[in-house]
Amino acid sequence: MSSSPDPIVAVSQRVERFLQDQRDAAAGFGDEARSFVDSGASAAAGGKGFRARFCLAGWRAVATAGAADTGGVPDVVTAASAALEIFHAAALVHDDVIDRSDTRRGRPAAHRAWEATHRAGRWAGDAADFGTSAAILLGDLLVAWSDDLLEEGLLAAEPAAAALARAEFGRMRREVTIGQFLDIAEESVFVIAPVDTHPDRALRVASLKSARYSVQHPLQLGAVLAGADEDQYAALAAFGHPVGLAFQLRDDVLGVFGDTAVTGKPVGDDLREGKRTLLIAYTRAALTPGTLAVFDELIGDRELTPEQVTHLQQTIVDTGALARVEERITQWAAEADRALRGARLGHAAVSELRDLARAATVRAA
């Protein structure tokens, strides 16, 4: 059991201990290797911890169904929650490479940091290419670390629960990778896909890349470690998927309208990256052919001026797309809430799940 009274603090401490172990293991590999491992540790630091929170909540929802006191969060659940956070760090590193983002959480993205290291060290070769290569490998290292940490925790689990947890973690990894590919594919395929299919195509990406990955699978990972039955597992899926969709739609809104000081990303970043989100699909469907041509010409232009970003934002508002997305967020939040009614889950844990749903869908960063 965790020694910390706050489970999320225990998860952070578990991550820190694991990362220190990795530093110690790489201590004899030379300066460059130590710097590489240090950059992995830096990438895994910070963040909102949503996935860990949902994993902990999924475990608690099942573990406290009919039980007043669980005796604290088992180490295996803490380790699984920590593994989710390290895997997310890997996903962000790779995502920043794909999107060619300059910053992450208000700091240089990993590939930009390694590019700067290359330049500062006056190393041979192209600095930008080196930064990209280093970040790809860094993301791979973080994926390996997430597996290592999960397996460390599962040593203490019952064999049946361990097998289910591995399957859940593996399913999450496969689905988010497919979702990431579909995300970049939409930026190219949209030109031949009928306009009326764009909303469903955007939601397919949101489901795989975010809803299942960020909320549903973390919930179910915690649940299987608590011994969930089929009904409990299904109830958490019915709650988690709509929360995850609402979470992604809120992210899409922030990617266009968010405050840089709060999000740590440039305002309108998703517009410059050409993200084909539901917000963009709804906007395009409401535009006349002439206006649509201008809109499409601007979306994905990395040199957008602040004035052009403002123009695109206003177009999104004027078409009613923003209002429609906000309505879908509200609808999915309500659907998630209904899924918890009558479910055989711990009462206090259900309240916690509702709080997490609000935190995921009503936020500024």
Side-chain angles (χ1 to χ4, degrees), residues 283-350:
T283 301
R284 295 184 78 252
L287 294 175
T288 62
T291 309
L292 178 59
V294 174
F295 186 81
D296 282 345
E297 186 176 330
L298 292 174
I299 293 292
D301 182 352
R302 294 186 174 274
E303 303 303 320
L304 283 178
T305 65
E307 292 76 19
Q308 288 172 319
V309 169
T310 300
H311 170 72
L312 289 171
Q313 290 173 327
Q314 192 60 52
T315 299
I316 291 167
V317 172
D318 290 345
T319 59
L322 178 59
R324 290 183 69 186
V325 166
E326 290 290 353
E327 183 180 2
R328 295 299 295 270
I329 291 172
T330 300
Q331 290 170 346
W332 274 316
E335 179 183 332
D337 189 71
R338 288 193 297 272
L340 295 176
R341 297 174 190 172
R344 193 167 58 80
L345 303 170
H347 294 306
V350 166

Side-chain angles (χ1 to χ4, degrees), residues 144-161:
W145 283 355
S146 71
D147 279 347
D148 291 343
L149 183 47
L150 178 69
E151 289 301 326
E152 282 184 14
L154 292 181
L155 291 173
E158 293 294 327

Side-chain angles (χ1 to χ4, degrees), residues 185-196:
E186 282 303 311
E187 295 173 23
S188 299
V189 177
F190 83 95
V191 295
I192 63 168
V195 173
D196 62 355

Side-chain angles (χ1 to χ4, degrees), residues 22-65:
Q22 304 315 304
R23 287 189 179 100
D24 293 343
F29 295 164
D31 292 344
E32 294 84 7
R34 286 195 295 272
S35 295
F36 184 58
V37 169
D38 283 343
S39 70
S42 177
K48 305 178 188 70
F50 274 144
R51 290 150 197 85
R53 292 178 190 277
F54 277 111
C55 184
L56 292 165
W59 172 81
R60 193 175 293 108
V62 174
T64 61

Side-chain angles (χ1 to χ4, degrees), residues 174-193:
R174 293 190 298 274
E175 289 182 357
V176 73
T177 303
I178 293 170
Q180 180 67 71
F181 168 76
L182 291 175
D183 189 28
I184 63 171
E186 282 303 311
E187 295 173 23
S188 299
V189 177
F190 83 95
V191 295
I192 63 168

Side-chain angles (χ1 to χ4, degrees), residues 19-194:
L19 294 175
Q20 187 56 53
D21 289 344
Q22 304 315 304
R23 287 189 179 100
D24 293 343
F29 295 164
D31 292 344
E32 294 84 7
R34 286 195 295 272
S35 295
F36 184 58
V37 169
D38 283 343
S39 70
S42 177
K48 305 178 188 70
F50 274 144
R51 290 150 197 85
R53 292 178 190 277
F54 277 111
C55 184
L56 292 165
W59 172 81
R60 193 175 293 108
V62 174
T64 61
D69 183 13
T70 61
V73 178
D75 290 340
V76 61
V77 179
T78 300
S81 301
L84 287 170
E85 291 304 300
I86 291 181
F87 181 83
H88 186 55
L92 293 181
V93 168
H94 283 161
D95 201 45
D96 286 342
V97 172
I98 291 168
D99 293 339
R100 300 189 291 281
S101 298
D102 292 327
T103 61
R104 170 63 63 181
R105 296 170 179 163
R107 299 177 300 189
H111 61 290
R112 297 301 186 205
W114 277 107
E115 179 181 342
T117 296
H118 183 287
R119 285 203 176 93
R122 301 176 69 182
W123 296 350
D126 185 86
D129 287 348
F130 178 84
T132 297
S133 298
I136 291 171
L137 293 169
L138 184 65
D140 292 346
L141 179 66
L142 287 160
V143 169
W145 283 355
S146 71
D147 279 347
D148 291 343
L149 183 47
L150 178 69
E151 289 301 326
E152 282 184 14
L154 292 181
L155 291 173
E158 293 294 327
L164 289 171
R166 287 189 189 97
E168 196 71 45
F169 200 80
R171 191 177 303 115
M172 176 200 74
R173 286 179 49 179
R174 293 190 298 274
E175 289 182 357
V176 73
T177 303
I178 293 170
Q180 180 67 71
F181 168 76
L182 291 175
D183 189 28
I184 63 171
E186 282 303 311
E187 295 173 23
S188 299
V189 177
F190 83 95
V191 295
I192 63 168

